[in-house]
Amino acid sequence: MARVRYPIVMERGSTSSGLHVPDLLGCVAIAEIKSDVCQLIREAIELYIETLEN
């Protein structure tokens, strides 16, 4: 299966960072640590795609 890439938007708050995928409505991740939020958005994208396929 071909790997698809999506643009990701980062927003930083005073105590946390958030990422969202504009092409995948509602696909978001929020965490205090940047590496954590990056991992969470990868997982969120995977789950989003799995949900669409089922």
Side-chain angles (χ1 to χ4, degrees):
M1 181 177 357
R3 187 172 185 165
V4 178
R5 293 181 174 241
Y6 295 98
I8 297 173
V9 177
M10 176 180 250
E11 296 183 29
R12 288 189 170 172
S14 59
T15 60
S16 63
S17 294
L19 298 175
H20 73 275
V21 184
D23 292 342
L24 305 177
L25 186 62
C27 190
V28 300
I30 300 169
E32 292 180 11
I33 300 169
K34 185 179 177 183
S35 61
D36 290 348
V37 77
C38 291
Q39 180 60 37
L40 289 172
I41 200 65
R42 285 185 198 99
E43 293 172 9
I45 291 169
E46 288 177 20
L47 289 172
Y48 193 103
I49 299 302
E50 281 181 24
T51 302
L52 292 176
E53 292 176 342
N54 290 326

